[in-house]
Amino acid sequence: MKALLRLLGLGLIAGLALQLFFVARIAMMAVVNPESTAFQRSEAYLVVRNTGSLKWRQQWVPYSELPAYLKRAVIASEDAGFAEHDGVDMEALEKAWDKNAKAEQRAAQSASRLAPAKAAATPLRPVKIVGGSTITQQLAKNLFLSGERTLLRKGQELVLTLLLEALLSKERILEIYLNSVEWGEGIFGAEAAAQHYYRKPAARLSAYEAARLAVMLPRPKYFETRPASGYLASRAGTIVARMGGVELP
């Protein structure tokens, strides 16, 4: 019993030490730009392992020099309530939960309509899970966490999200996000994305170009290989129409 209590105590101490480490790291980010994120390092490792060479394009641009078009486009596409919420958008989470539940129900109904023999021989198509993550949650995950989906990791993501919101301004959160998010294989941040896709600085992006980059964010590698995607063009037009109503932090 004493050994179990000792282990539990050590676990609590280790967990507390980890949270204090995160607090210190995030507090430092108020004045120091992060050199890399956990996600970037993981992606770089995979690229090196698969290709034998390191592809990493990134150039930091201060918040004041990032184009308003891109800020508005990313907020409109990724997190419309970014300026108002405290890191977690409960309404978006509820909508995502409902959408996922309905998708699973439709998949189950489709499977039940198949004859037993055919159902056994037909592999079920995975249900596409829709997220409700805010920009702050995405940044928390990219900065510190692995890609695994466990209850413990989601709990840590929530703690990190609240720490980011408590210790950094909305402007700083958006600045770090736009300078570190992935926009293709080895392409990180708005400046690298603008140079790669449009051969120009991010500051010179048009509203439509900024909207196309914003639409790419959920699946950047997919859209990198499909520049003529009809969905990309259509969705970008929708985002351009919404940008005027976006509140910037």
Side-chain angles (χ1 to χ4, degrees):
M1 185 64 179
K2 288 183 178 180
L4 178 60
L5 291 175
R6 189 179 297 112
L7 285 174
L8 289 174
L10 289 174
L12 289 173
I13 292 172
L16 178 60
L18 180 61
Q19 303 315 308
L20 291 175
F21 167 75
F22 286 142
V23 169
R25 284 286 304 277
I26 293 172
M28 187 181 301
M29 288 180 193
V31 293
V32 179
N33 299 332
E35 293 185 358
S36 64
T37 68
F39 178 81
Q40 287 174 333
R41 293 189 292 273
S42 175
E43 287 298 299
Y45 170 76
L46 291 175
V47 171
V48 170
R49 188 182 67 180
N50 294 333
T51 68
S53 62
L54 177 61
K55 298 179 181 178
W56 190 319
R57 297 180 60 181
Q58 182 180 21
Q59 182 180 340
W60 196 276
V61 177
Y63 184 84
S64 60
E65 297 178 20
L66 287 166
Y69 280 147
L70 187 61
K71 296 172 188 175
R72 293 181 188 278
V74 169
I75 291 174
S77 181
E78 294 287 286
D79 183 5
F82 175 71
E84 289 84 27
H85 64 61
D86 294 323
V88 179
D89 188 337
M90 296 307 299
E91 183 179 350
L93 284 176
E94 290 173 2
K95 288 181 179 178
W97 180 276
D98 290 341
K99 194 168 185 177
N100 292 331
K102 290 177 181 177
E104 290 179 352
Q105 185 178 19
R106 286 195 298 270
Q109 290 174 348
S110 296
S112 66
R113 286 196 291 267
L114 295 174
K118 188 175 181 180
T122 304
L124 291 176
R125 295 179 60 185
V127 175
K128 181 180 178 181
I129 302 299
V130 178
S133 294
T134 64
I135 286 174
T136 312
Q137 286 176 283
Q138 293 177 48
L139 180 61
K141 179 176 61 177
N142 290 345
L143 280 171
F144 299 111
L145 302 177
S146 68
E148 64 179 349
R149 295 186 178 184
T150 64
L151 189 59
L152 181 62
R153 195 205 67 84
K154 290 298 293 183
Q156 182 64 79
E157 179 188 306
L158 177 59
V159 171
L160 289 169
T161 297
L162 298 177
L163 288 174
L164 284 168
E165 290 280 343
L167 298 173
L168 303 180
S169 67
K170 287 285 189 179
E171 291 89 343
R172 184 58 170 163
I173 290 171
L174 187 57
E175 177 185 3
I176 296 174
Y177 178 81
L178 290 177
N179 276 289
S180 60
V181 71
E182 182 187 43
W183 253 300
E185 187 172 278
I187 303 166
F188 300 105
E191 185 66 21
Q195 294 287 354
H196 178 74
Y197 293 107
Y198 298 112
R199 302 293 187 267
K200 65 169 71 173
R204 291 173 49 201
L205 288 171
S206 69
Y208 182 73
E209 290 167 344
R212 281 181 66 93
L213 289 180
V215 175
M216 291 180 66
L217 282 177
R219 305 173 69 190
K221 292 179 181 175
Y222 175 87
F223 288 118
E224 182 183 14
T225 61
R226 295 165 175 82
S229 164
Y231 170 82
L232 189 61
S234 174
R235 178 66 177 168
T238 301
I239 295 303
V240 169
R242 293 178 180 175
M243 284 164 56
V246 169
E247 179 184 349
L248 290 180

